[in-house]
Amino acid sequence: MAGFRADVRMLDALILSMKQAASLTTDDKEHILRSAAEVVAKSMRETLKALGLYRSHALHNSIRALWKISENGHFLIYPEGEHHKYNAMLHVRLYKRSKHGRTYAVGGKIKSATADEVGYVLEIGSPKRGIPAFHWMEQANNACIEEVIDKEQNAWQAYLDGIGL
């Protein structure tokens, strides 16, 4: 009868190899996750272009994959940085005795909108401002699932090959 035969030496080798795999360093985790994070960032940029949401390219160019060092270690992939500046609370008033409708500006602070705020508004929409929800991040994440899994599996396999498993 043909079958699989295992002995104690194989069990010891399996336990040793599992310990080696469990001793994954932060740099190794970062390398494995970075390969997948770059795929997601690229997919987000392509989705913005496909939906026509890249008039000034500020949102498109601000998408980054940021490594957050913690106990588990993970990547945050989102737009970061300043998107644009605008005048807030600017009021235009008419001179009291103007015969020709001359005006002057009162107040106005220069504020900046961040890229993650703009991305968030384009993701979920803003009915009061007449901005529809595009769900661009959700579309991008759904579009690249298979490629992300492949990249992570290839990076994990390369790590296992590197330690001789």
Side-chain angles (χ1 to χ4, degrees):
M1 181 171 151
F4 179 73
R5 187 167 177 214
D7 60 4
V8 176
R9 287 178 288 157
M10 289 179 68
L11 185 59
D12 290 339
L14 177 64
I15 291 171
L16 181 61
S17 65
M18 294 304 283
K19 284 181 181 177
Q20 287 174 329
S23 65
L24 192 65
T25 65
T26 304
D27 292 337
D28 295 329
K29 287 179 190 177
E30 181 178 358
H31 176 69
I32 291 169
L33 292 175
R34 182 175 297 283
S35 61
E38 293 302 324
V39 170
V40 174
K42 179 183 171 194
S43 178
M44 284 183 173
R45 289 184 197 104
E46 290 172 356
T47 302
L48 283 172
K49 279 189 176 181
L51 294 173
L53 300 174
Y54 65 100
R55 192 175 329 152
S56 69
H57 295 280
L59 184 62
H60 178 271
N61 294 336
S62 69
I63 295 175
R64 303 270 186 271
L66 303 171
W67 173 248
K68 182 172 179 164
I69 298 174
S70 64
E71 196 172 292
N72 297 330
H74 58 278
F75 272 92
L76 301 173
I77 305 154
Y78 65 95
E80 70 161 356
E82 184 179 297
H83 188 269
H84 65 275
K85 292 185 184 245
Y86 63 96
N87 286 327
M89 306 280 294
L90 180 69
H91 299 286
V92 178
R93 299 207 174 152
L94 187 66
Y95 283 108
K96 287 183 181 178
R97 295 185 180 145
S98 173
K99 294 180 183 177
H100 304 290
R102 293 186 326 169
T103 60
Y104 63 98
V106 176
K109 299 176 184 175
I110 296 179
K111 293 191 172 186
S112 63
T114 61
D116 57 333
E117 291 170 350
V118 173
Y120 180 75
V121 169
L122 290 175
E123 175 70 18
I124 64 164
S126 178
K128 289 184 180 180
R129 291 192 262 171
I131 301 171
F134 289 100
H135 302 291
W136 65 276
M137 286 187 219
E138 182 181 346
Q139 290 178 27
N141 291 340
N142 290 336
C144 68
I145 289 173
E146 296 298 325
E147 192 176 353
V148 166
I149 291 171
D150 289 342
K151 287 282 187 179
E152 285 182 342
Q153 284 177 342
N154 292 341
W156 177 249
Q157 190 60 47
Y159 169 74
L160 292 177
D161 293 341
I163 63 172
L165 295 179

